[in-house]
C-alpha cells in the first residue's frame, strides 16, 4: 500500500522547429572504411597516361579508345566502333 503523494509531470511543449543533429564521429568513422576494390594507388606511384596508339581510334559516338579491329564505320574523319554501329 502506497501512502505517498503522486506528482504528475507533463512534458514541455515544443515551440521551436525540430533540429537535425549530425553525429560527426559516425561520419568520420564511415570515411575510414575501405571498401573492397576501392583501393587507391599510393601517391608515390606515378600513373602513366598513354596517347592514342597507331592501331587505335577514338569512337565518334562513345569516345572510347578502341583497337582498329573494333572499327565498324568510317566516314570522312569520323570513326565508329562496333558497339555504337551494332
Amino acid at each position: 500500500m502506497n501512502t505517498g503523494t503522486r506528482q504528475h509531470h507533463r512534458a514541455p511543449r515544443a515551440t521551436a522547429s525540430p533540429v537535425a543533429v549530425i553525429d560527426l564521429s559516425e561520419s568520420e568513422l564511415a570515411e575510414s572504411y575501405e571498401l573492397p576494390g576501392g583501393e587507391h594507388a599510393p601517391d608515390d606511384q606515378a600513373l602513366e597516361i598513354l596517347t592514342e596508339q597507331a592501331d587505335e581510334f577514338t569512337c565518334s559516338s562513345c569516345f572510347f579508345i578502341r583497337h582498329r579491329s573494333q572499327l565498324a564505320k568510317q566516314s570522312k574523319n569520323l570513326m565508329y566502333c562496333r558497339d555504337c554501329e551494332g
Side-chain angles (χ1 to χ4, degrees):
M1 191 157 123
N2 189 355
T3 58
T5 60
R6 287 190 175 174
Q7 295 179 351
H8 295 282
H9 296 283
R10 287 189 177 168
R13 289 187 177 200
T15 57
S17 61
V19 177
V21 177
I22 299 172
D23 186 356
L24 293 179
S25 62
E26 286 184 14
S27 64
E28 290 170 355
L29 180 63
E31 289 175 3
S32 69
Y33 287 132
E34 189 171 318
L35 300 175
E39 296 83 17
H40 295 283
D43 291 335
D44 58 351
Q45 290 182 350
L47 181 63
E48 186 179 353
I49 308 292
L50 300 175
T51 59
E52 187 176 291
Q53 303 298 304
D55 61 345
E56 297 174 331
F57 71 98
T58 301
C59 177
S60 297
S61 180
C62 66
F63 301 103
F64 284 154
I65 296 176
R66 304 286 190 159
H67 189 266
R68 288 272 178 197
S69 64
Q70 295 292 312
L71 182 62
K73 179 181 175 184
Q74 182 174 1
S75 63
K76 299 184 183 180
N77 292 334
L78 302 177
M79 298 180 201
Y80 299 94
C81 69
R82 290 181 183 172
D83 291 341
C84 293
E85 277 299 307

